[in-house]
Amino acid sequence: TLTQNTPNTLIKKNNGDAHPYTGINLVAAGTYSGFTLTNANLINADLNHATFTGTYLEYTNLSNADLSLSTMTSAIATGANLTNANISGATLTSIILEDAILINANLTGANMTSSNLKNTNVTGANLTNANLTTTVSINTDFSGSDLSG
């Protein structure tokens, strides 16, 4: 179980009801589909095998988070910080990571098909065997990244 104190976070189930929370409990392998987690501080979060389908993660800080084998399909993570995050083996199809930070992220074997990485900083990331088919990467910085495989 992960407990975070995030007073500026807005969490809502996409039914129109929005509630600000001063704390969030998230668990690895949990399902957070259809939720809004805006500006959340989830540094060092253990969210491996978690599902974030249709989830809003704009400007969420997920640096050093473990998102390995997670699913983030059709999620919006504009401006998210994923520095040093472990996203290996994750499914990130049709995710919007525009203006995001993925410096030194581990994306080994990640499926990023049809994702948007426009203006994203992916320097020093490990993308070995990652699937970037039809991914938008306009003005994306892959300097020092491993794109082999």
Side-chain angles (χ1 to χ4, degrees), residues 1-6 9-12 21 23-33 35-52 55-57 60-62 65-67 72:
T1 302
L2 167 73
T3 303
Q4 295 289 331
N5 292 316
T6 55
T9 300
L10 178 66
I11 300 175
K12 71 176 183 175
Y21 284 81
I24 312 169
N25 285 323
L26 299 177
V27 295
T31 299
Y32 307 101
S33 297
F35 278 79
T36 297
L37 300 167
T38 306
N39 295 309
N41 180 4
L42 300 174
I43 297 170
N44 298 314
D46 181 8
L47 296 167
N48 68 79
H49 290 89
T51 301
F52 296 93
T55 302
Y56 293 88
L57 297 156
T60 296
N61 190 345
L62 288 155
D66 182 1
L67 293 158
M72 299 177 111

Side-chain angles (χ1 to χ4, degrees), residues 3 14 21 24 47-48 51 57 62 64 70 77 84 87 94 102 109 125 134 136 144:
T3 303
N14 288 338
Y21 284 81
I24 312 169
L47 296 167
N48 68 79
T51 301
L57 297 156
L62 288 155
N64 298 303
S70 62
N84 296 314
I87 316 168
S94 301
L102 286 98
T134 65
V136 175

Side-chain angles (χ1 to χ4, degrees), residues 57-110:
L57 297 156
E58 292 103 340
Y59 304 99
T60 296
N61 190 345
L62 288 155
S63 57
N64 298 303
D66 182 1
L67 293 158
S68 58
L69 302 171
S70 62
T71 300
M72 299 177 111
T73 303
S74 301
I76 299 175
T78 302
N81 183 351
L82 292 141
T83 300
N84 296 314
N86 179 6
I87 316 168
S88 60
T91 300
L92 306 169
T93 53
S94 301
I95 187 173
I96 298 173
L97 283 162
E98 194 168 319
D99 298 312
I101 303 166
L102 286 98
I103 297 171
N104 297 321
N106 180 0
L107 291 149
T108 303

